[in-house]
Amino acid sequence: MLKQLSISALAEIVEGRIVGSFSQDIEITGTCAVDRYTSNKVAFVRNEKYGELLSQLQEAIVLIPESLAGLCSRYPQNIYIVVEDVVSSLMDLQDFFYEDQTAVTEQGISSTAKVDQSARIGKQVYIGENVCIGKNVLIGDGTKVMHNCCIADSVTIGNDTHIYPGTCIYKNCQIGNHCIIHSGVRIGRDGFRFEQDIEHRKVRKMISAGRVIIGDRVEVGANCTIDRATFENDATTIFDDVKLADQAHIGHNASIGARTCIAVQTCVSGSARIGEDVWVAPGVTISDNVKIGDRARLLLNAVVAYDVPEDEIVSGFYAMPHKRWKQVYKKLKDEI
């Protein structure tokens, strides 16, 4: 269903002030990028380098932060909504206009689903086609488990969590409230622990007896893998508000602190400890038992084999403080 907002109503949602003359007849129907502006949409600007783009627009509706309010008088042909936090305001509008795109409204249990009689299913839950729910599973209110998922014995899933098609959650794992688990995720598979015997004739597998614990509001991207811990009373732990992009691998016994964001194709090896508010860029590899301090930033494709202090920025192979890496890279480049 098409949603519409007047400029005044939009400004009220984002708690912003309007700069420029406008007609109350204008109905805003969504958001767009400022460099591909579409009429009746709202764009946003977060830094001054987009000023020239504003000069090329006419009667555009633009969210702008208070720190850049001077651009309003420089390019007065547009309509501006000035806010404190432009990205947060944009997200509010994305939620308003597009929440239906991600909403799952179905309820009930599909006739092709297999649900063990010992499972406890909350209110307004959806269990999709060909889903398998094991023994002693607990699923909270409002949770949606979409088709072709497998939820093994003794798994606990909180309220209002969405689990997309083709996901497998192994025994004894725990997932919190308001989580999003995208398609193809594997949670609680065995860790990669193999050892050769003394005679080097065969390779034995170490059975993983622990579990995975995932906090609230965690999002796990498509085709991620999270290994269970090795020992019975241990867990691989993903704390509240962690975000994992597609194809990330989290090894056994690893711990990821609250609000940490991990980008695509990252490998976090066994027993690594990542602090809170850490940024991990695409393609990073973190070796086993490494500790990453709070608010550290690991840049693109870094290979992190040593501990990283709080607030440090590292890059390179092997990773080192980013300023040092740039010095080393420049020296190597000059010598070639």
Side-chain angles (χ1 to χ4, degrees), residues 19 69-76 80:
V19 176
L71 293 177
C72 302
S73 57
R74 193 183 307 173
Y75 308 110
Y80 299 96

Side-chain angles (χ1 to χ4, degrees), residues 6-307:
S6 68
I7 293 177
S8 297
L10 188 149
E12 185 175 344
I13 287 176
V14 299
E15 299 181 354
R17 60 183 177 90
I18 302 170
V19 176
S21 59
F22 64 96
S23 169
Q24 287 289 357
D25 295 332
I26 296 175
E27 294 289 343
I28 302 168
T29 59
T31 59
C32 67
V34 70
D35 59 344
R36 297 183 299 280
Y37 187 77
T38 305
S39 60
N40 295 97
K41 305 291 185 183
V42 58
F44 83 109
V45 168
R46 68 187 303 182
N47 58 58
E48 199 163 0
K49 71 178 183 180
Y50 293 102
E52 287 193 13
L53 289 173
L54 295 177
S55 69
Q56 300 167 19
L57 299 176
Q58 188 70 35
E59 297 184 346
I61 304 161
V62 183
L63 287 173
I64 196 165
E66 193 71 54
S67 60
L68 297 179
L71 293 177
C72 302
S73 57
R74 193 183 307 173
Y75 308 110
Q77 74 277 16
N78 300 309
I79 304 160
Y80 299 96
I81 301 170
V82 183
V83 296
E84 286 295 327
D85 186 339
V86 71
V87 176
S88 179
S89 296
L90 177 67
M91 289 181 172
D92 290 340
L93 295 178
Q94 291 284 103
D95 289 345
F96 175 83
F97 285 115
Y98 306 113
E99 64 179 354
D100 292 345
Q101 293 190 12
T102 58
V104 180
T105 58
E106 293 91 343
Q107 297 181 26
I109 299 175
S110 169
S111 61
T112 60
K114 181 180 179 181
V115 180
D116 189 88
Q117 61 183 5
S118 65
R120 290 176 290 168
I121 310 297
K123 300 175 183 178
Q124 299 178 323
V125 168
Y126 174 61
I127 307 295
E129 296 179 4
N130 303 314
V131 169
C132 181
I133 305 291
K135 298 176 182 178
N136 301 312
V137 168
L138 174 61
I139 298 179
D141 296 344
T143 286
K144 314 296 183 182
V145 183
M146 281 161 260
H147 55 271
N148 298 324
C149 289
C150 179
I151 313 297
D153 298 349
S154 301
V155 166
T156 299
I157 302 172
N159 300 327
D160 298 306
T161 285
H162 287 192
I163 300 175
Y164 283 88
T167 291
C168 184
I169 305 174
Y170 289 67
K171 291 182 179 181
N172 300 315
C173 292
Q174 177 180 320
I175 297 174
N177 304 308
H178 304 285
C179 294
I180 299 173
I181 312 298
H182 288 281
S183 297
V185 169
R186 301 293 183 262
I187 296 173
R189 63 177 289 278
D190 285 348
F192 188 79
R193 297 202 69 172
F194 296 89
E195 298 289 341
Q196 290 187 355
D197 63 10
I198 294 176
E199 297 176 344
H200 300 286
R201 291 185 177 179
K202 62 180 180 180
V203 178
R204 295 192 62 185
K205 175 180 179 176
M206 173 81 77
I207 292 176
S208 298
R211 58 180 180 153
V212 174
I213 298 176
I214 293 177
D216 296 337
R217 299 174 303 279
V218 171
E219 184 157 352
V220 181
N223 298 315
C224 287
T225 301
I226 305 174
D227 293 348
R228 67 175 55 245
T230 303
F231 299 114
E232 184 177 3
N233 295 324
D234 290 340
T236 302
T237 307
I238 314 294
F239 285 89
D240 294 349
D241 296 291
V242 166
K243 313 300 178 185
L244 304 180
D246 299 347
Q247 298 179 329
H249 173 80
I250 311 300
H252 62 83
N253 296 88
S255 173
I256 301 177
R259 299 173 303 279
T260 285
C261 295
I262 295 180
V264 295
Q265 296 184 335
T266 290
C267 177
V268 178
S269 299
S271 299
R273 294 285 183 267
I274 300 178
E276 298 181 350
D277 303 299
V278 173
W279 166 253
V280 182
V284 168
T285 298
I286 301 172
S287 190
D288 57 292
N289 294 291
V290 164
K291 296 179 181 179
I292 309 297
D294 296 344
R295 300 173 302 279
R297 295 175 64 84
L298 315 183
L299 302 187
L300 187 69
N301 290 320
V303 177
V304 184
Y306 308 101
D307 292 353

